[in-house]
Amino acid sequence: MRVLVAEDEEILAELVATGLRRAGFAVDTVYSGDAALAYLGLHDYDVVVLDRDLPRVHGDDVARRLVATGSRTKILMLTASGTMEDRVEGLDLGADDYVTKPFEFPELVSRVRALRRRSARPVPPQLERHGIRLDSVRRAATRDGRDLDLSPKEFTVLQLLLEADGAAVSAEELLERAWDANADPFTGAVRVCMSKLRAKLGEPALIRTVQGVGYAL
């Protein structure tokens, strides 16, 4: 799952991003509305955590433009004002959810997860295939009842393979969905992660390389 955090308070933006990464999300951060629009134009985000009071391009205008393009990216709007009028105005702009500052971080993570489930095609919270069971809410995975000690990145890659339901997923798509914008597409990050994931899944091997296409489970 990929998230963009657009917040002009840089310390708060990085705190939110760090927390979301620990929850297993790939996160990019920007501090202005024009930067948010640029990133949203370059990458396919599941959710944007959008501060209303952004400089250069107001957060409301970012929301309007995102809605006008028909984007599937869900909007979680952040604001310092919690009046009913402000909440209604934000939702009328096209926001899918609304959180007032200060907020409890577990609630923010839960709301981001809920929005992701509403984006694109519905994905069940529990996925199963070939003896692997993955619970995306509890962030737990097992194979034939054995707990898999996966890193956040390995968990996300396994989830993407399970969601593909046997179809091949390209290295480019894995890089786009599981890594942030700082990932170098010319590194072997996907290959290294896949090697570690295969080792943790154990024998018999479940992940196969589809030559010239990607990986399938």
Side-chain angles (χ1 to χ4, degrees):
M1 176 177 179
R2 193 157 186 181
V3 179
L4 177 66
V5 176
E7 164 63 60
D8 67 324
E9 296 179 41
E10 294 189 21
I11 294 177
L12 176 59
E14 294 306 323
L15 285 173
V16 170
T18 298
L20 289 173
R21 289 186 187 112
R22 287 174 179 166
F25 307 142
V27 186
D28 297 323
T29 53
V30 293
Y31 314 117
S32 65
D34 55 343
L37 288 171
Y39 270 63
L40 288 163
L42 286 171
H43 305 290
D44 183 19
Y45 292 99
D46 294 287
V47 177
V48 55
V49 179
L50 181 66
D51 181 34
R52 285 192 77 176
D53 261 338
L54 289 174
R56 294 201 283 276
V57 177
H58 196 274
D60 290 358
D61 292 323
V62 174
R64 287 190 188 97
R65 295 190 202 181
L66 199 56
V67 171
T69 63
S71 172
R72 292 183 179 181
T73 301
K74 298 298 183 183
I75 302 170
L76 175 60
M77 194 167 273
L78 295 180
T79 182
S81 177
T83 67
M84 183 187 70
E85 290 79 8
D86 281 314
R87 289 198 299 273
V88 169
E89 185 180 2
L91 293 170
D92 283 345
L93 286 167
D96 298 281
D97 203 353
Y98 201 97
V99 173
T100 56
K101 303 174 187 176
F103 50 82
E104 295 294 331
F105 197 78
E107 180 186 2
L108 179 69
V109 172
S110 179
R111 286 174 180 266
V112 170
R113 283 202 181 113
L115 287 179
R116 193 269 181 180
R117 289 194 294 270
R118 288 161 53 187
S119 67
R121 66 183 180 87
V123 175
Q126 291 196 9
L127 298 164
E128 288 189 57
R129 189 175 179 85
H130 299 312
I132 294 178
R133 176 175 293 180
L134 182 145
D135 188 325
S136 62
V137 177
R138 293 177 50 243
R139 302 291 296 175
T142 61
R143 178 177 183 181
D144 298 327
R146 172 176 61 86
D147 288 336
L148 299 172
D149 184 19
L150 304 179
S151 70
K153 198 71 67 185
E154 292 159 359
F155 185 95
T156 301
V157 168
L158 179 60
Q159 182 173 350
L160 290 169
L161 292 173
L162 285 166
E163 288 177 4
D165 198 24
V169 183
S170 69
E172 291 78 13
E173 183 178 352
L174 290 171
L175 198 65
E176 169 71 19
R177 307 304 299 158
W179 277 262
D180 60 31
N182 295 317
D184 184 347
F186 299 105
T187 67
V190 173
R191 179 175 48 79
V192 170
C193 181
M194 198 64 68
S195 176
K196 292 179 179 178
L197 179 57
R198 280 170 163 153
K200 290 183 179 181
L201 290 176
E203 297 294 336
L206 292 178
I207 299 173
R208 60 190 175 92
T209 300
V210 182
Q211 197 65 35
V213 180
Y215 303 91
L217 190 145

